[in-house]
Structure formats: structure tokens, C-alpha cells
Amino acid sequence: MSLISSIPLRQLLAGMALAAVALSAVPTDSFAQQRRGDRDSGRENTEKSAADKEKDREEWEGRDLRLDKRRADGPCPFVKVLYDAARYQDFQDGKVATASVKWTGEINGVVSDCAYKGGDPIELEMMIGFSLGRGPAAEGNRNNYRYWVAVTDKDQAVLAKKYFDLPVTFGTDQSRVDVATKLENIVIPRAAATVAGSNFEVLVGFDVTPEMAEFNRDGKRFRYVSAGQ
């Protein structure tokens, strides 16, 4: 039995809307925990070393990635960041060096919640945290970061994928901007009431080049650690 209804795939994310793109430095009590679907081993997850997790906690403490709790008759879809697309590095002339860095980006956290009952579609909303950097080789103070959200079934077949633009303007002498973006009205049809949200995964990642993906697979990164730089 198909996990989704017969609705055309191009309509699967038709209700996905970008609700906010500039919610940086929102107050909170603690860094909200990312909903993880770490069923798989390998690179298609956001597992980090203890040191990296501690850095993320310190840097994102004070920024709210929480969502209002919603009601669902069953488990929500797993939501996670694709490892190969978790970071964005743009180098001048493709030269991997600090002086050649134009733009960088990192997805620091994702939280989500869902609602559904009976045989209704799953309604999902997400909050994504980004750290975005401007390097010494950048031209100007504005860059458009592109990222995507994809829905897959439990066999990891992509059911739908949608791209979003995240335009960011850096202040004078500012090398890093932290942004929280909310996505809502993500609608995932189900074939029957017996198909729970756990049959689906939602992946998030930057729109990266093959070279950027390889850079990420090698575990490399260029990172600006202070939002006030």
C-alpha cells in the first residue's frame, strides 16, 4: 500500500509557506533540542562531536527555536538535516583558503511539530536556525542563501522537494548573522488513517554544489564564531 494518497506529487508541498525569515536573537531559556530521526548510520544525519555540540549550545543559547505544541493522533515525521548539505562554503575562484572565503552558512538546529487526526493529512511546521557568514573575499554586504526542504517515505524515496531563498544583509564590519526561519503549512497527505507520521522523513539542507557537498563529507568547515564580529 502506498504511504501517500493519489494526489500528484507536485501538490504535496503546495501548502508550504515561508512565514518568517528574520527572527534572529529571539530570547529563550535554553537552546531547543532538534527532533532527530537518527535511524540511519552514516553521513545522512547531523551527529557531531561533543565539542561541536557544546559550541552550538553556547552559540545558540538565548535564541528560541521552540514551537507551540500541537495535537497529533500519532508520532510526527522525523525531521533532520542532511549532513552533506548542512554547511555552505563559497570560495573565490574555488580556492580553499581563509582569504578566499566569500560566504559561509551552517544549519545549527531544526525543531518541528505536527498535527493530524483520523485520515487527515499531516500538517507540519518547522523552525530552522542558521548561522551565516561573510568572508574577506565577499563583494558587498548582501547574499542570498538558498535551501530546500524534502519529504521522503520510510524507504527514503523523495516524494517532494521545495526550494526557499534566504536573503541576508550584513551590517558594516559584521561577519556573521544568526537567523531563525519558520516554515508552516507543510501538508503531507496519507493513504489511510493507519499511516502514521513516522512513515515519513523531512530533510533540510542548503542548495550546495558537488564541491561543497564533498567539502562537507570531509568534515571541513569555515565558521565565524561571534555574531558581533
Side-chain angles (χ1 to χ4, degrees), residues 3-4 12-13 16 35-41 44-45 75-82 112 122 124 126 148-161 186 188 195-204:
L3 294 177
I4 62 171
L12 183 60
L13 297 184
M16 183 181 289
R35 181 188 298 274
R36 296 181 185 272
D38 293 336
R39 298 178 303 168
D40 307 318
S41 60
E44 292 190 357
N45 57 46
C76 290
F78 296 101
V79 178
K80 60 187 180 181
V81 181
L82 186 67
S112 67
I122 298 169
L124 183 75
M126 306 166 55
W148 50 262
V149 175
V151 176
T152 73
D153 62 21
K154 63 181 180 180
D155 297 320
Q156 297 190 346
V158 177
L159 304 176
K161 187 174 184 180
I186 304 173
I188 306 175
V195 180
S198 55
N199 286 286
F200 303 94
E201 285 190 347
V202 179
L203 302 177
V204 182

Side-chain angles (χ1 to χ4, degrees), residues 21-22 130 132 143-147 164-168 179 181:
V21 294
F130 296 90
L132 310 167
N143 188 51
N144 183 64
Y145 293 87
R146 203 160 193 241
Y147 67 98
F164 296 92
D165 289 321
L166 182 61
V168 175
V179 175
T181 296

Side-chain angles (χ1 to χ4, degrees), residues 18-214:
L18 184 61
V21 294
L23 304 179
S24 60
V26 182
T28 184
D29 296 329
S30 63
F31 172 61
Q33 296 297 314
Q34 175 181 349
R35 181 188 298 274
R36 296 181 185 272
D38 293 336
R39 298 178 303 168
D40 307 318
S41 60
R43 296 189 174 100
E44 292 190 357
N45 57 46
T46 52
E47 291 185 356
K48 299 180 180 179
S49 67
D52 284 341
K53 289 180 180 179
E54 179 62 20
K55 287 180 181 179
D56 287 347
R57 186 194 67 78
E58 292 175 355
E59 291 168 13
W60 280 88
E61 201 167 74
R63 296 177 176 83
D64 191 0
L65 292 185
R66 291 174 297 181
L67 297 169
D68 293 335
K69 188 66 177 176
R70 309 178 74 189
R71 293 183 60 84
D73 283 354
C76 290
F78 296 101
V79 178
K80 60 187 180 181
V81 181
L82 186 67
Y83 186 87
D84 291 2
R87 296 183 297 278
Y88 179 97
Q89 302 90 14
D90 184 12
F91 298 101
Q92 187 176 46
D93 300 323
K95 184 179 180 181
V96 181
T98 301
S100 300
V101 176
K102 296 172 65 177
W103 309 102
T104 67
E106 184 166 359
I107 300 175
N108 279 317
V110 179
V111 294
S112 67
D113 202 2
C114 76
Y116 65 93
K117 62 180 180 179
D120 292 344
I122 298 169
E123 296 182 4
L124 183 75
E125 63 179 10
M126 306 166 55
M127 187 77 79
I128 309 171
F130 296 90
S131 283
L132 310 167
R134 179 179 63 168
E139 297 179 359
N141 65 343
R142 183 176 174 84
N143 188 51
N144 183 64
Y145 293 87
R146 203 160 193 241
Y147 67 98
W148 50 262
V149 175
V151 176
T152 73
D153 62 21
K154 63 181 180 180
D155 297 320
Q156 297 190 346
V158 177
L159 304 176
K161 187 174 184 180
K162 188 175 181 68
Y163 289 85
F164 296 92
D165 289 321
L166 182 61
V168 175
T169 299
F170 294 80
T172 304
D173 298 326
Q174 186 179 27
S175 63
R176 172 171 156 174
V177 173
D178 292 337
V179 175
T181 296
K182 185 177 182 180
L183 296 176
E184 57 186 7
N185 299 325
I186 304 173
V187 179
I188 306 175
R190 296 181 295 150
T194 55
V195 180
S198 55
N199 286 286
F200 303 94
E201 285 190 347
V202 179
L203 302 177
V204 182
F206 283 108
D207 185 20
V208 298
T209 65
E211 292 77 16
M212 291 179 184
E214 183 64 29

